Amino acid sequence: MFKNRSLKFQGICCILMAAFFFCLMSLFVRLSGDLPVMEKAFFRNAVAAIVALTMLLRTGEKFRIGKGNVPFLLLRSGFGTAGIIANFYAIDHMAISDANMLNKLSPFFAIIMSYFILKEKASKKEWAAVVVAFAGALLVIKPSFTAGAIPGLIGVFGGFGAGVAYTYVRKLGKRGERGPLIVFFFSTFSTLFVTPFMIADFVPMTAMQILLLLAAGASAAGGQLSITAAYSKAPAKEIAVFDYSQILFAALLGFVFLGELPDIFSVIGYVVIIGAAVWRMQAIREKG
């Protein structure tokens, strides 16, 4: 019993570290300035690919892919890449706490897509949590018929892409595919995908911008490693809700370094979405 408690505590610590790392990534992306989104995405993915490559080379199986897993790896990578590009666009055009909150709709999109991809049925409470979460998202987006709503809608699409990608990660995990291989395939796919766009719209960078984007990539890699460690130590239903600490970290970093303060509607939206996440976790515990 004490060992399980210790592992859960370690899992919570790891997921808090992951949340902080991902917030640092968002901050560094924003501080890198007025650069094309594809250029920023290239650095984020290239650094993660190098980290994942280093991990793979230390394994005995190296680059072996499980039979029949390539189509699912491609789908995971495609949706994940779309999610990153949309999230980076939102980070550049919204308060980073708002952008991070919309990206955290991914677990709710995963509930929806798991029904179609994995044939997993959600409980009534989980479906209710989805509805409540999207109501909270409307408070963050503050939809209108003006161009001002576009970054928020793109931010929601980023959460959708991430949610579908996570669903395919789960499918690949159930098929026995290795975590480092999934990360490497995704990071390499993303790097190759954005490279032509980056070259076509390349903007010369200062030394500081390069350092900031390298820091963003390193932070993303740290977040991926931390969250992988977290879920290896404790069940998702016990620790996943702590991932929402990312919103608090983002609000704090946004205030200190960017002078951003979320408005009252965004704050209410945060509370609604986090509340829906807590409710969802409770529903998962009740299912066993």
Side-chain angles (χ1 to χ4, degrees):
M1 180 176 67
F2 291 109
K3 181 180 179 181
N4 289 339
R5 286 183 180 178
S6 176
L7 287 174
K8 180 180 177 181
F9 178 75
Q10 291 176 38
I12 291 171
C13 290
C14 286
I15 208 165
L16 290 174
M17 286 175 58
F20 184 69
F21 275 128
F22 284 130
C23 282
L24 281 179
M25 180 201 74
S26 298
L27 178 64
F28 290 137
V29 166
R30 182 67 170 272
L31 290 175
S32 65
D34 190 20
L35 293 171
V37 169
M38 294 299 191
E39 202 164 330
K40 294 180 177 183
F42 173 86
F43 278 85
R44 181 254 186 261
N45 294 319
V47 174
I50 292 170
V51 173
L53 174 62
T54 303
M55 294 173 63
L56 268 184
L57 291 175
R58 293 179 179 177
T59 66
E61 296 175 298
K62 298 292 191 294
F63 302 101
R64 187 188 64 79
I65 298 176
K67 185 178 180 181
N69 285 345
V70 171
F72 302 121
L73 284 166
L74 288 171
L75 286 166
R76 181 268 181 270
S77 300
F79 280 105
T81 299
I84 285 178
I85 293 170
N87 180 231
F88 277 20
Y89 181 90
I91 288 170
D92 277 345
H93 294 83
M94 303 176 70
I96 60 171
S97 55
D98 284 1
N100 277 274
M101 186 76 262
L102 294 177
N103 195 247
K104 286 302 170 189
L105 290 173
S106 56
F108 300 101
F109 280 117
I111 291 175
I112 298 171
M113 298 311 297
S114 290
Y115 177 80
F116 298 102
I117 297 171
L118 301 174
K119 309 303 179 185
E120 293 179 347
K121 294 183 178 180
S123 68
K124 291 181 180 179
K125 279 191 175 182
E126 288 177 300
W127 283 117
V130 171
V131 174
V132 172
F134 285 112
L138 291 177
L139 292 169
V140 178
I141 299 170
K142 293 174 279 291
S144 64
F145 294 101
T146 66
I150 292 176
L153 295 173
I154 292 176
V156 171
F157 178 77
F160 170 76
V164 179
Y166 293 153
T167 305
Y168 278 111
V169 168
R170 176 164 167 74
K171 187 176 186 69
L172 286 161
K174 293 175 74 171
R175 292 173 62 90
E177 196 55 84
R178 296 166 295 148
L181 188 283
I182 297 172
V183 173
F184 174 74
F185 193 102
F186 160 59
S187 300
T188 303
F189 176 98
S190 298
T191 302
L192 294 174
F193 178 84
V194 303
T195 296
F197 297 98
M198 181 190 71
I199 294 173
D201 193 28
F202 185 77
V203 174
M205 295 174 286
T206 65
M208 179 56 70
Q209 285 176 315
I210 292 173
L211 287 174
L212 285 167
L213 290 178
L214 288 173
S219 299
Q224 287 183 333
L225 291 172
S226 298
I227 205 161
T228 300
Y231 289 125
S232 70
K233 294 178 182 295
K237 65 181 181 181
E238 295 183 1
I239 65 172
V241 71
F242 290 95
D243 192 30
Y244 282 83
S245 62
Q246 185 173 334
I247 311 309
L248 302 178
F249 289 136
L252 178 61
L253 292 175
F255 175 71
V256 173
F257 292 98
L258 302 171
E260 295 178 346
L261 273 177
D263 62 30
I264 185 63
F265 292 106
S266 289
V267 172
I268 294 172
Y270 301 166
V271 172
V272 170
I273 295 172
I274 293 172
V278 174
W279 191 19
R280 174 177 173 260
M281 289 300 105
Q282 184 60 40
I284 292 174
R285 288 194 185 98
E286 289 177 1
K287 286 172 68 176

